[in-house]
Amino acid sequence: MATSVEQPQTLIYVLGVTVIFLASALIGIMYLAQIDISQEYTLYNIQYSSTVSRMVNSPTCFALEESFELPEGYGTETQVQAGIIDWWKFNSGITKVCSDGRIIYAYLSSLDGTLQKQLLTGRDPLTALSDSDLESIDNWNTKQEKYYVLVYKDSQLIPAILEVRIKG
Amino acid sequence: MKKAGGAFLTELLLATVLVLIIAAGFFGIQHIPGFSLEPEAKALIQSVGDNEICNVNLLNLIRSPNEDGTLGDTLITSYLTKDYTVFNETTTNILNQVMLRRWVMNLSINNRVEATFGDPAGFVAVPCIAYVPLPQPFFSNCSFSEIQTGFDGYEINFTTPDGNVTMEIVNQFVTDSDKIGGFGVYPTSEWTTIPETAIIGEPTTINDTLNADLLILQIYVGDESEEVLIPYELTISEPSEDPDGLTEVHLTKKDLVQQCSIALNLFVELNNE
């Protein structure tokens, strides 16, 4: 006679476990479906890294390129000093090769405050940026990082901070 | 039947509660501060840029000019005197100005941490490393490099940290024919067979032995019985166009960089923005 009571209980257990399993699976799938890695965000970071890396390390941008004499008969050789900014190049502005079509804001300031220079793609590097330009840059919702660099100016290395922002 | 009905209601209620708890758990877990799958994915992507920042900052840090020459020179002085006050102050000052995030720097030699700078509070970090070579006089087992000159028939002796090296330049002559590589004259040198147990192994690289301006030997110095063999490079060259053929013999230890340098590990907090 005991089985008449146990059989419905077993059925309830099976039904209950099945319901819980299905509900859990459904909720799990719904939760996993919510995970979304922003493709736009990913590309933006790679773009930022590659652009700043080129600015700091490439002689086509701001990196210092020095020439030195090889032993007699071997001529001269050039060496790129990655991470060292050539003040002359920076003062000349951001070239098209360097910016690769992007709108870039670069701010170089020495730690002792003697050097300060702001650049914006498409603006005359010899003219200070206008207030409207600076206000516009402030509104860029973009990644912003500081790099510790050395600036080569008048045969001297000057510690400085390079700040780069790229318009998205 | 009442019992069965009661049990059914109890089970149904239990199952409903369990489902609600699981549902609340799934939806509630993403509201726990710091828990989300999405930022982890972003962090992996961002580490590319973070590593670039770390490398540029560290490289420029050790070559920054200061009173001693560079900050790298200050580091050497600090290590030799075991007083890191000046280095720590300068480094902290620079990195605090530059970094928008937290940082920690370890100074180590041969994988042994000697000093730590910055706030070592735990955080997820991107590491990078730079080496500052130790000056040879203060690190006797490293960076052996000695040049000696010898004429035909002279015995040349080197006393290295790993054993003595003796060799004899014999049968040397010069010729002014066949100008190669910018030299006007070319010595041809031979050496006696392996002169001492300190040199183990045959020469592995010999450039242009018949009419040469440069001979290079890859040799091992050490005690063969103890199986401690240290690689060295022996270079015999003609340094000038002097027809008397002064031969320059240069013995250089091929150091392991981590044994002969101060390693600086910089850890920059991962940007999770």
Side-chain angles (χ1 to χ4, degrees), chain B residues 240-258:
Chain B
S240 72
E241 295 184 0
D242 182 1
D244 288 336
L246 183 67
T247 301
E248 191 174 274
V249 182
H250 189 181
L251 185 63
T252 311
K253 184 175 180 178
K254 301 174 85 172
D255 304 305
L256 294 173
V257 68
Q258 67 267 32

Side-chain angles (χ1 to χ4, degrees), chain B residues 65-84:
Chain B
N66 69 353
E67 295 83 7
D68 290 348
T70 64
L71 194 53
D73 296 326
T74 306
L75 174 63
I76 296 293
T77 309
S78 300
Y79 170 72
L80 296 175
T81 58
K82 299 294 178 191
D83 179 6
Y84 298 108

Side-chain angles (χ1 to χ4, degrees), chain A residues 12-13 24 27 34-37 41-42 49 53 57 74 82-84 111 144-150 157, chain B residues 8 11 22-23 26 37-38 41 45-46 49 52-53 57 60 63-65 94 97-98 100-101 181 271 273:
Chain A
I12 288 164
Y13 270 120
S24 305
I27 292 165
Q34 288 178 349
I35 297 172
D36 181 28
I37 301 169
Y41 195 79
T42 303
S49 300
S53 180
N57 298 324
Y74 286 87
I84 298 181
L111 294 187
Q144 181 178 356
E145 291 286 359
K146 288 180 175 180
Y147 288 74
Y148 178 54
V149 295
L150 298 174
L157 288 175
Chain B
F8 175 75
E11 296 293 344
I22 292 167
F26 268 121
L37 289 177
E38 193 173 355
I45 295 158
Q46 286 198 334
E52 174 71 19
I53 292 168
N57 289 352
N60 283 328
R63 60 186 182 185
S64 297
I94 291 172
Q97 282 188 68
V98 175
L100 296 172
R101 304 170 232 164
N271 189 355
E273 286 176 4

